[in-house]
Amino acid sequence: MKKTIFLVLLPVLIGCRNEVVLVRIDGEPALSQSDIPEYAFYLPEDSFFYLLDSMTEAKLILLAAEEENFPQLINSDIEDLKRILIIDSLWDSIQDSLLAEHDSLAYKYWEWSQILVRTFLVRLPPGRQKEARDIADSIEIFMGDSLMLKKYVDEVCDRYNFKGLYFGPSGDLRDIFPYVVSYSLAEELVDMEDMSVSEPIVTDTGIFILAKIKSIPTTDFYDFEEVKENLKMQEKFRFLAEQSNRMIDKLRRETDITFNGEIFDLFSKFPHFERVLEEEPIVLPDLDSVVFNQWIAVAGEDTVFVRDMLDKIKSGRVLYPDLSDTSFLRFFLMRDVMPPYLLIQEALRRGIALEGNLGSRFEKLRDSLVYESYIASHTGIQADSQEVYAYYLSNPGYFSIPERQELFIIGTADSLFMDELLDSVSQGVPFETLATRYSVLPSAQNGGDLGYVTRGRYREEIENLIFSLEPQSVSHPILLDGYWVLFKTGLYKPDSLLPFTNVFERCRNLYQSELRSQMTSFILETKGLKNRVEIDSSALRNLLRGKKEEI
């Protein structure tokens, strides 16, 4: 059993309550009765103590991480964890209001479900404003000729490799509900006159041109409650994404946001950076500690520091911005860095904080994050493919299919009748026919077919007989579990190693699990952490005795 059980058990490693303390570390309570999951008391005794040992080791690893001040090294991840929990709670608390009538996006969705719009939708890459203006003018010229319009728009879409937007059309004349495109585009589309072309709509993902032919009222009207249920089920994630953008835009408008001009001037002196390939590592400019800890933006009651921005970039959570472009840097901060801070402030205004159940959940997840990151920092847990392949070759037993034999069976309660059946087989009567007619075993309905059996299914003497038979041969009668049986073999398949590409993920997980286990043991031994553990054997025995009596 691997020590990966640590990660499964970490969520139960919560603070001790006023109960019997079972394990102390440096004299302080570490594990009490409430920390032991209830299922553990149903386990065999050796499994129970293995579990207890694993939980104690996990506590020791967390203690080692704290003593090395390791949580400070991953503070950005911990802060992000806090934000995620609070923001999730914010959405949970306002879900009903998101679906309320008249002032919500849900109501807009319902209004938009009452009409179909015949439209073209064209998207160009960012930075093509001039081309977009020319294309919009050309589309307007063709609005009276649907064939020429379709041909022209198709050419434009092919030229710029248009990939579609949500479920909308890509240069094709089509009737759509407005809500299949993004909220901002849908609003624009609904407000447009029939037979009109929108101004180019510039966003950070591209430039959009809408050509609206006409609005068509639907004949089947949806009930508002039906639309709300649909949003909850089928459109949940997209609806929440749209709703969050709406809320963030509102918070941006309502919050006083100030930027640090000195830092902007400093960044403007850096050369422009571009990655040729997405896979290339991110290289950031070297900054001294003074600059690294400077503030770059203030939003309401929250301050964003340079280190916060750089941590997000280095972790790959956001695309690398051109720091030397002051206007783009401002846009980047507003789009990718500020929203979590704004949402946190909104959550705090609504009384949501890391306390009670939410606080307990955060502590559990924080412990899991610290534990995993601490072990990974010692093992270099991101093993490359060559290491994983070497592990695959050295552990073929984990990735092999054992030898297997295709097997058919006939079973009867009478040994004399079995002798008659064996005579029938020797005279050429098909084994499968006899099994269907005369076998009393469940496999009779399949002609006695048991499929492929591997070693370990039957007793050793029976197994040796089965695997000693030649393919397509029949055994002598054998007494097995109260029945007289005949075996017939089919195809035989020897041991085979599964292809590396088929088991790569499993192989990598096992390899990393072993690295984690080895590093855990190494840390505990080299730091002498186990010497700091005291187990109250008397309390433990009394607890187990009481639980066994309950069970």
Side-chain angles (χ1 to χ4, degrees):
M1 188 182 295
K2 300 285 187 296
K3 296 292 185 182
T4 47
I5 195 170
F6 288 168
L7 299 180
V8 177
L9 296 174
L10 276 173
V12 302
L13 301 183
I14 58 177
C16 298
R17 302 175 187 129
N18 294 323
E19 299 183 62
V20 177
V21 177
L22 305 176
V23 179
R24 294 179 183 273
I25 299 176
D26 294 337
E28 296 295 324
L31 291 173
S32 65
Q33 177 182 341
S34 64
D35 297 319
I36 309 298
E38 188 63 26
Y39 73 83
F41 299 105
Y42 294 85
L43 297 173
E45 196 166 281
D46 58 341
S47 297
F48 173 85
F49 282 107
Y50 179 84
L51 175 62
L52 185 68
D53 185 48
S54 297
M55 294 174 68
T56 303
E57 288 186 358
K59 284 283 191 180
L60 290 170
I61 291 295
L62 289 173
L63 180 63
E66 295 286 350
E67 289 177 349
E68 292 182 22
N69 207 27
F70 182 78
Q72 289 299 318
L73 300 179
I74 59 167
N75 188 61
S76 176
D77 292 328
I78 293 173
E79 289 300 315
D80 278 349
L81 176 60
K82 287 181 183 178
R83 294 187 186 106
I84 289 168
L85 289 176
I86 291 177
I87 291 170
D88 279 351
S89 297
L90 171 65
W91 290 127
D92 289 341
S93 70
I94 64 175
Q95 185 176 32
D96 289 340
S97 66
L98 295 181
L99 297 171
E101 296 187 31
H102 301 300
D103 61 344
S104 75
L105 181 60
Y107 190 74
K108 284 287 187 183
Y109 271 59
W110 176 68
E111 285 188 319
W112 294 341
S113 70
Q114 313 305 310
I115 57 172
L116 286 166
V117 181
R118 186 163 298 168
T119 186
F120 284 104
L121 181 63
V122 179
R123 180 172 67 183
L124 280 73
R128 298 289 185 133
Q129 283 91 336
K130 184 178 183 304
E131 292 92 330
R133 180 68 269 169
D134 293 341
I135 290 168
D137 291 341
S138 300
I139 290 176
E140 196 161 11
I141 294 172
F142 291 124
M143 286 297 285
D145 187 336
S146 60
L147 290 177
M148 287 299 296
L149 178 60
K150 183 180 187 316
K151 181 180 178 182
Y152 175 71
V153 172
D154 284 343
E155 288 176 357
V156 171
C157 292
D158 289 342
R159 188 189 319 158
Y160 293 102
N161 195 23
F162 179 78
K163 298 296 185 184
L165 176 72
Y166 294 109
F167 310 107
S170 52
D172 189 13
L173 186 64
R174 196 177 302 184
D175 296 338
I176 62 168
F177 289 109
Y179 58 72
V180 301
V181 295
S182 68
Y183 172 75
S184 58
L185 291 182
E187 273 199 319
E188 180 95 18
L189 189 59
V190 170
D191 292 339
M192 287 171 58
E193 298 288 337
D194 288 353
M195 299 299 290
S196 65
V197 181
S198 71
E199 291 291 316
I201 303 165
V202 180
T203 74
D204 58 308
T205 60
I207 304 172
F208 296 91
I209 304 168
L210 304 171
K212 179 178 178 182
I213 308 302
K214 67 182 296 188
S215 294
I216 308 166
T218 56
T219 54
D220 298 323
F221 288 91
Y222 291 95
D223 181 73
F224 180 62
E225 294 299 321
E226 184 180 345
V227 171
K228 286 201 295 187
E229 287 304 312
N230 185 55
L231 290 174
K232 283 183 179 179
M233 302 294 293
Q234 299 178 24
E235 301 279 350
K236 177 181 177 181
F237 296 106
R238 184 176 153 232
F239 171 73
L240 285 178
E242 294 277 9
Q243 187 67 63
S244 68
N245 288 334
R246 265 181 114 215
M247 174 175 276
I248 291 167
D249 285 341
K250 179 174 179 289
L251 293 174
R252 284 193 191 104
R253 292 192 299 270
E254 295 175 350
T255 306
D256 182 22
I257 299 177
T258 306
F259 296 100
N260 188 337
E262 293 182 5
I263 296 297
F264 274 51
D265 290 341
L266 174 66
F267 281 139
S268 69
K269 297 178 174 60
F270 288 125
H272 178 62
F273 177 94
E274 288 183 354
R275 278 187 296 184
V276 178
L277 299 172
E278 286 295 320
E279 294 79 13
E280 286 187 3
I282 295 172
V283 180
L284 294 170
D286 291 328
L287 298 173
D288 59 48
S289 59
V290 174
V291 175
F292 191 70
N293 290 299
Q294 282 283 335
W295 69 276
I296 192 168
V298 174
E301 300 173 4
D302 270 324
T303 301
V304 181
F305 295 92
V306 172
R307 62 173 178 268
D308 298 328
M309 179 188 74
L310 296 183
D311 282 342
K312 287 186 179 298
I313 297 171
K314 286 190 291 187
S315 63
R317 294 190 185 93
V318 295
L319 293 178
Y320 189 96
D322 177 8
L323 299 180
S324 64
D325 184 335
T326 302
S327 60
F328 187 84
L329 179 55
R330 186 185 301 265
F331 170 77
F332 162 73
L333 286 165
M334 292 293 285
R335 184 193 66 183
D336 293 327
V337 178
M338 303 307 302
Y341 294 91
L342 299 174
L343 290 171
I344 290 293
Q345 290 181 49
E346 178 64 19
L348 294 176
R349 281 193 289 270
R350 293 172 180 261
I352 298 170
L354 285 178
E355 54 190 24
N357 291 336
L358 188 61
S360 298
R361 186 180 171 204
F362 167 70
E363 290 299 326
K364 298 172 195 174
L365 293 173
R366 176 193 177 278
D367 283 353
S368 294
L369 177 63
V370 171
Y371 174 89
E372 175 67 13
S373 301
Y374 182 70
I375 295 295
S377 70
H378 283 73
T379 59
I381 209 71
Q382 299 300 328
D384 63 34
S385 57
Q386 290 184 335
E387 291 177 74
V388 176
Y389 185 63
Y391 180 81
Y392 163 79
L393 294 178
S394 59
N395 294 275
Y398 291 159
F399 314 109
S400 297
I401 301 177
E403 63 174 327
R404 50 211 185 279
Q405 176 69 67
E406 191 179 20
L407 196 64
F408 300 82
I409 190 172
I410 297 175
T412 69
D414 188 337
S415 62
L416 295 177
F417 183 49
M418 178 58 73
D419 290 337
E420 295 178 16
L421 292 176
L422 183 59
D423 288 340
S424 298
V425 171
S426 62
Q427 292 171 17
V429 179
F431 189 94
E432 293 80 355
T433 301
L434 295 173
T436 302
R437 290 180 181 175
Y438 303 115
S439 178
V440 297
L441 301 178
S443 60
Q445 60 185 353
N446 298 322
D449 187 0
L450 296 176
Y452 281 95
V453 297
T454 58
R455 283 195 178 273
R457 177 167 176 176
Y458 296 107
R459 296 195 305 266
E460 184 178 359
E461 65 273 16
I462 302 298
E463 191 173 82
N464 289 338
L465 169 65
I466 292 171
F467 283 93
S468 66
L469 294 172
E470 294 293 325
Q472 306 299 329
S473 62
V474 178
S475 71
H476 58 269
I478 305 164
L479 185 62
L480 179 64
D481 296 334
Y483 295 95
W484 288 93
V485 301
L486 282 179
F487 288 120
K488 176 192 170 185
T489 57
L491 295 175
Y492 169 78
K493 294 187 178 181
D495 287 349
S496 58
L497 188 63
L498 292 167
F500 178 61
T501 52
N502 290 10
V503 296
F504 175 76
E505 288 297 329
R506 179 166 173 255
C507 185
R508 182 175 62 182
N509 291 339
L510 285 173
Y511 178 53
Q512 292 180 345
S513 173
E514 290 203 9
L515 286 178
R516 189 181 290 112
S517 176
Q518 292 168 11
M519 184 50 62
T520 300
S521 299
F522 176 77
I523 292 171
L524 294 173
E525 290 171 10
T526 55
K527 295 181 179 295
L529 290 171
K530 285 198 171 183
N531 300 331
R532 301 159 66 175
V533 176
E534 304 168 41
I535 297 177
D536 191 334
S537 302
S538 176
L540 197 54
R541 282 196 300 269
N542 291 336
L543 175 61
L544 288 176
R545 189 182 300 116
K547 285 293 183 179
K548 285 181 179 178
E549 289 174 359
E550 289 177 21
I551 293 169

